[in-house]
Amino acid sequence: MANTDEETIEQIKRWWKENSLAIILGLVLGLSAVLGWRFWDGHQERTATQASDIYHSLQVAAVRQPELARAQAELLIADYRRTPYAMLAHLELAALAVGEDDLARAEDHLETVMLNSRYPEQQALARVRLAQIQLASENPQGTLEILSADLPAAFASIADEMRGDAHRQLGDLSAARAAYERAIASAAGVSDYLQMKHDALGQFDDTP
């Protein structure tokens, strides 16, 4: 039986919360290092610093003041589009859209990042979030198509877990097992829940 719209939204929110905080932190720290040597010009450095401050305020506002967060994100996109923070603003707008049960708008923002960001990590985060929307909407084939691109190593485990989930939805348990095994092999830290997903397939037989 297909999930209700409410169940789909809640599943996406839960997945993003559980899987994205460390990735976003890594992106921001990575951007700080990049900006340290790329923005050598005084004007560019000031612009990047201003964008960073606005983005920090956006993240704080997103918790309880979504309208303020949206305005700050739109400011970054309009006035700081040459900085990496413009694409991060699209990611935040996608998260706000999910919170408002607007998956179509979330997908638009994620596709913008996936197609236009100059940073592979930003593209990858948008790609896995877009894939999760497809997975939670019970579109496993769409999930696999989105995840067919090469991704940075930091996203390998998350991507393979979703590939496993997609293959499981399609009934291809052999492919699901293989994907979960790859996810376990590349997972950082504890992977008990991945092992549980893998082991749960043992009780099913997908042979003719």
Side-chain angles (χ1 to χ4, degrees):
M1 180 180 297
N3 290 343
T4 65
D5 290 342
E6 292 80 7
E7 289 171 338
T8 297
I9 294 291
E10 287 306 313
Q11 184 178 349
I12 294 168
K13 289 178 184 177
R14 184 169 57 253
W15 187 92
W16 284 19
K17 182 178 181 180
E18 291 173 352
N19 290 278
S20 296
L21 292 178
I23 294 173
I24 283 288
L25 178 59
L27 283 176
V28 173
L29 292 176
L31 286 175
S32 298
V34 169
L35 294 176
W37 66 270
R38 283 194 181 176
F39 286 86
W40 53 270
D41 177 80
H43 173 70
Q44 288 181 315
E45 184 177 358
R46 287 192 299 273
T47 299
T49 299
Q50 291 168 358
S52 176
D53 291 343
I54 295 170
Y55 180 70
H56 176 71
S57 297
L58 185 167
Q59 289 183 302
V60 173
V63 178
R64 298 185 183 277
Q65 298 174 286
E67 289 303 321
L68 176 59
R70 183 176 293 105
Q72 291 170 324
E74 291 172 352
L75 175 63
L76 285 171
I77 292 168
D79 293 353
Y80 297 89
R81 61 185 180 277
R82 295 184 181 277
T83 75
Y85 293 98
M87 291 294 116
L88 287 177
H90 277 291
L91 291 173
E92 293 292 344
L93 287 173
L96 289 172
V98 168
E100 296 167 353
D101 301 348
D102 191 343
L103 295 186
R105 186 153 52 92
E107 289 176 336
D108 287 343
H109 286 296
L110 294 173
E111 287 173 356
T112 295
V113 177
M114 194 172 70
L115 297 175
N116 295 291
S117 176
R118 294 174 294 169
Y119 298 90
E121 291 79 9
Q122 289 182 341
Q123 293 176 343
L125 180 55
R127 188 174 292 276
V128 297
R129 284 183 167 183
L130 187 60
Q132 176 57 22
I133 289 177
Q134 298 302 311
L135 185 64
S137 301
E138 297 194 348
N139 180 12
Q141 195 60 52
T143 300
L144 293 173
E145 290 173 3
I146 291 169
L147 295 176
S148 62
D150 291 333
L151 295 171
F155 295 84
S157 184
I158 291 174
D160 277 323
E161 179 188 356
M162 285 193 290
R163 291 185 185 107
D165 293 344
H167 285 303
R168 185 181 60 189
Q169 284 188 10
L170 289 168
D172 189 346
L173 302 189
S174 295
R177 290 189 190 96
Y180 288 144
E181 287 168 2
R182 293 194 303 271
I184 292 168
S186 58
V190 178
S191 58
D192 290 349
Y193 76 104
L194 289 173
Q195 190 66 54
M196 289 175 61
K197 282 188 173 184
H198 175 274
D199 293 347
L201 297 177
Q203 59 186 297
F204 301 105
D205 185 5
D206 59 345
T207 58

